[in-house]
Amino acid sequence: MKISTKGRYGLRALVDMAANAEGKPISLTSVAKRQNISLNYLEQVFGTLRKAGIVISTKGSSGGYLLKYEAKDISVRQILEALEGAFSIVDLNPMEMQDPLQQAIQTLLWDEIDEKVNTLLETRTLEQLVDEYKQTKDQGNQMFYI
Amino acid sequence: MKISTKGRYGLRALVDMAANAEGKPISLTSVAKRQNISLNYLEQVFGTLRKAGIVISTKGSSGGYLLKYEAKDISVRQILEALEGAFSIVDLNPMEMQDPLQQAIQTLLWDEIDEKVNTLLETRTLEQLVDEYKQTKDQGNQMFYI
DNA sequence: AGAAAACATATCAGATAAGTAGGATATAAG
DNA sequence: CTTATATCCTACTTATCTGATATGTTTTCT
């Protein structure tokens, strides 16, 4: 019941991208360096993000990736759904679904969890993460200027 | 990011047990039949539940399992924690934890999800599930008596 | 022309999940 | 006192997923 590294790394890389954006495409090489993630692995992740319509790419020298929409219009749910599939706390096998007892558990537990989590993921945007990141980063740097 | 069959089957089996309780121990054989779960697998699951202090067992003929406490005093969280470990939506590797960006994501996302889910699991009791089950089961049976 | 980037597959080792198998031990019932 | 019915215990198996790594091909700016 965990979010895998694919989702975590992808999300982190996107925040990094958005935080370091200046209009021009950002290379995965630079993201990989800053975030200490294998370039090869990041390429796979961004392939998925591109196919999901979250980023756009330009090939060739001085190419790279850009967000397809503004950070405030990209929800965390979109991102994680692209990388991990839609969130659902359980994955029932056919036999379980027929069980009448299962219905009770589904209603009181799984459905409620799914709803709460999905609502939160839907609410949180990439922009919020970027803002929070910049803020905490600045706090960290302040100590050098006191 | 799923609850595994161990947790799902265990929870279902416990609700079944509680719903069919009459004071005397209930054998896993009967639970396995009603719930269509492999007896061998259930035995492993109930071994864990016993060690976690959720059920007590009596061996031998006409032996079986009983809830250690009343159903209203057993939270779903206790059960799932015994079978799956404490709920936490992510499991970070050491490198990630040091990342400053990670902190932002942790605060705005993972911590909030963990808190919401754990609160729900803590609130829901075995008794609630049993009640819901009995109710929906009765509704299903009513059609035969109209 | 050459460097730097995305893009595309294939491969691989390790971990985990989901069960199976086979017996050992305990105890109530007949 | 024997037999059936339980729990209890541990090892094994099989399949799938994860987290990469490796090796190139294609594209485009300089």
Side-chain angles (χ1 to χ4, degrees):
Chain A
M1 57 206 199
K2 306 288 179 187
I3 305 270
S4 75
T5 62
K6 195 171 176 187
R8 301 196 316 271
Y9 284 21
L11 189 55
R12 194 145 61 89
L14 276 178
V15 176
D16 178 287
M17 246 190 69
N20 292 286
E22 297 171 15
K24 5 168 232 192
I26 294 186
S27 73
L28 291 189
T29 311
S30 68
V31 177
K33 268 181 198 158
R34 276 193 299 267
Q35 294 300 318
N36 232 296
I37 301 174
S38 138
L39 172 61
N40 239 316
Y41 195 53
L42 262 192
E43 283 177 346
Q44 288 178 50
V45 169
F46 272 75
T48 305
L49 291 172
R50 181 177 54 80
K51 285 166 196 155
I54 292 171
V55 296
I56 51 179
S57 64
T58 49
K59 292 176 88 172
S61 190
S62 85
Y65 288 92
L66 276 176
L67 293 181
K68 189 160 176 184
Y69 310 99
E70 291 178 56
K72 73 175 173 56
D73 293 326
I74 301 177
S75 71
V76 173
R77 182 178 185 172
Q78 274 178 272
I79 298 167
L80 290 182
E81 195 154 325
L83 297 174
E84 309 254 342
F87 179 85
S88 168
I89 192 77
V90 291
D91 220 357
L92 304 178
N93 59 44
M95 217 160 57
E96 280 177 288
M97 294 196 216
Q98 295 167 2
D99 190 307
L101 205 163
Q102 164 54 28
Q103 285 305 316
I105 299 180
Q106 187 73 39
T107 306
L108 255 58
L109 230 50
W110 310 145
D111 285 352
E112 284 214 41
I113 290 176
D114 286 351
E115 206 257 326
K116 278 185 161 53
V117 173
N118 277 315
T119 299
L120 182 68
L121 294 179
E122 184 74 46
T123 306
R124 288 276 175 275
T125 67
L126 194 51
E127 188 179 45
Q128 290 175 342
L129 294 178
V130 172
D131 287 350
E132 173 77 14
Y133 167 48
K134 285 181 175 169
Q135 212 175 333
T136 58
K137 198 177 57 172
D138 288 351
Q139 281 172 14
N141 288 342
Q142 272 180 9
M143 49 187 352
F144 298 108
Y145 303 112
I146 287 174
Chain B
M1 58 202 198
K2 306 285 179 189
I3 305 269
S4 74
T5 62
K6 194 171 176 186
R8 300 196 316 272
Y9 284 22
L11 189 55
R12 193 145 61 89
L14 275 179
V15 176
D16 178 287
M17 246 191 69
N20 291 286
E22 296 170 15
K24 6 168 229 192
I26 294 185
S27 74
L28 291 188
T29 312
S30 67
V31 176
K33 268 181 198 156
R34 275 192 301 268
Q35 294 299 318
N36 233 297
I37 301 174
S38 139
L39 172 60
N40 240 317
Y41 196 52
L42 262 192
E43 284 177 348
Q44 288 179 52
V45 170
F46 272 74
T48 306
L49 292 172
R50 180 177 54 81
K51 285 166 195 154
I54 293 171
V55 296
I56 51 178
S57 64
T58 49
K59 292 176 88 173
S61 188
S62 83
Y65 288 92
L66 277 175
L67 294 181
K68 190 160 175 185
Y69 310 99
E70 293 179 55
K72 73 175 173 55
D73 293 326
I74 301 177
S75 72
V76 173
R77 183 177 185 175
Q78 274 178 271
I79 297 167
L80 290 181
E81 197 154 323
L83 296 174
E84 309 254 340
F87 179 85
S88 167
I89 192 78
V90 291
D91 219 358
L92 304 178
N93 59 45
M95 216 159 59
E96 281 178 288
M97 295 196 216
Q98 295 167 1
D99 190 306
L101 206 163
Q102 164 55 29
Q103 285 305 315
I105 299 179
Q106 187 74 39
T107 306
L108 256 59
L109 230 49
W110 310 145
D111 285 352
E112 285 214 40
I113 290 177
D114 286 350
E115 206 257 326
K116 278 185 161 53
V117 172
N118 277 316
T119 299
L120 182 68
L121 294 180
E122 185 73 46
T123 306
R124 290 275 175 274
T125 67
L126 193 52
E127 188 179 45
Q128 290 175 342
L129 294 177
V130 171
D131 287 350
E132 173 79 14
Y133 167 49
K134 286 182 174 168
Q135 212 175 333
T136 57
K137 198 178 58 173
D138 289 350
Q139 281 173 15
N141 288 343
Q142 271 179 12
M143 50 187 349
F144 298 108
Y145 303 111
I146 286 174

